[in-house]
Amino acid sequence: MAEKSDSTPGSTSATTGQQNNSLFLTSFVEEIVRSPVNLVLVGIIALLVYKIVKSKIKSEEPLKEIKRLPKLHRDFTVEELKKYDGNGSDGRILVALNGSVYDVTRGATFYGPGAPYAVFAGRDASRGLATFTLESIKDEYDDLSDLESERMSYIKEWELQFKERYDYVGKLLKPGEAPTNYSDEEDEGSQQETENKSDQQNTKSDICENVPKSKDD
């Protein structure tokens, strides 16, 4: 009598299916490896998937609270500015640009401790932003007189962005320059505004008085 086979139709079909899947995967991988274009496409797809997953993870993280500090209005020397690098008790960050000082505390993710541009915190960032380098910051006052016009145009562009995003604090003082007393300046401004309003009211009164009365009156 012939010996019975241990294999059954079901197990045979399952084995055949696994072999077919294995062959398909092998041929698929070989096809990708053979073509550089396919390799590039696979790399792009993998990168897109990574960015999507990373963005979802970031969106689930709690947002950092932006510090709300009282507005500061005063001038600074280069030495005084160094204290405001984000490591103080209040975490305030000041950056000078083209002779002006700005409060960039709300941009701590860029200029705060450990951030990409932390080297500019509490310093004059003009030369660094003009030359696109982080090592060209001077410890003393920098008048930027040696920069070419093209570099100065870069500083002007950065200055426009700073004015739109951050609060102006005051001037970066030159050596020997006296600071501005902004409280007196503001008092003078409010007094001048009051005088202008008074003059406008007086002018309106004079006009009303000089209007000729009608015969009926």
Side-chain angles (χ1 to χ4, degrees):
M1 293 179 63
E3 295 181 356
K4 292 182 179 181
S5 175
D6 294 335
S7 61
T8 61
S11 62
T12 303
S13 61
T15 303
T16 305
Q18 291 176 356
Q19 291 176 349
N20 290 336
N21 290 337
S22 179
L23 289 173
F24 173 76
L25 290 174
T26 303
S27 61
F28 179 73
V29 172
E30 289 178 352
E31 185 66 25
I32 292 175
V33 173
R34 286 175 186 173
S35 174
V37 176
N38 290 338
L39 287 174
V40 172
L41 291 175
V42 170
I44 293 173
I45 293 171
L47 181 62
L48 291 174
V49 171
Y50 169 76
K51 286 187 175 181
I52 292 171
V53 173
K54 188 176 180 181
S55 64
K56 287 183 177 179
I57 294 174
K58 280 188 175 181
S59 62
E60 294 175 357
E61 294 178 353
L63 296 175
K64 293 182 179 179
E65 183 180 355
I66 299 175
K67 294 182 178 179
R68 302 290 183 183
L69 298 175
K71 285 192 176 182
L72 192 63
H73 201 187
R74 53 162 290 196
D75 297 337
F76 288 86
T77 64
V78 173
E79 287 299 321
E80 291 171 339
L81 189 65
K82 291 179 181 179
K83 301 176 184 178
Y84 296 88
D85 60 355
N87 291 307
S89 58
D90 59 356
R92 192 186 294 272
I93 306 171
L94 302 182
V95 173
L97 180 65
N98 200 24
S100 299
V101 178
Y102 297 90
D103 189 335
V104 301
T105 307
R106 67 167 64 101
T109 52
F110 299 103
Y111 302 100
Y117 301 103
V119 67
F120 294 147
R123 311 294 290 274
D124 182 1
S126 303
R127 185 174 293 273
L129 294 175
T131 57
F132 303 103
T133 58
L134 302 179
E135 296 82 16
S136 58
I137 298 177
K138 296 184 177 182
D139 289 328
E140 66 277 359
Y141 182 84
D142 189 358
D143 62 5
L144 309 174
S145 58
D146 61 321
L147 290 181
E148 301 174 355
S149 58
E150 183 180 5
R151 299 295 182 184
M152 290 303 300
S153 66
Y154 295 154
I155 293 178
K156 293 292 185 182
E157 292 176 3
W158 277 103
E159 191 174 17
L160 290 175
Q161 295 186 34
F162 270 57
K163 287 179 178 179
E164 292 176 357
R165 298 179 182 179
Y166 305 118
D167 293 331
Y168 172 80
V169 177
K171 296 185 299 182
L172 182 64
L173 297 173
K174 300 176 183 178
E177 184 179 5
T180 305
N181 192 337
Y182 288 102
S183 59
D184 292 346
E185 190 177 77
E186 290 169 359
D187 291 342
E188 290 177 3
S190 60
Q191 183 179 356
Q192 183 66 35
E193 186 178 353
T194 303
E195 291 177 356
N196 290 339
K197 288 182 179 179
S198 178
D199 291 341
Q200 290 176 359
Q201 290 176 354
N202 293 335
T203 302
K204 288 181 180 179
S205 299
D206 294 340
I207 292 173
C208 292
E209 290 177 358
N210 293 330
V211 173
K213 297 182 178 180
S214 62
K215 293 181 180 180
D216 296 336
D217 295 339

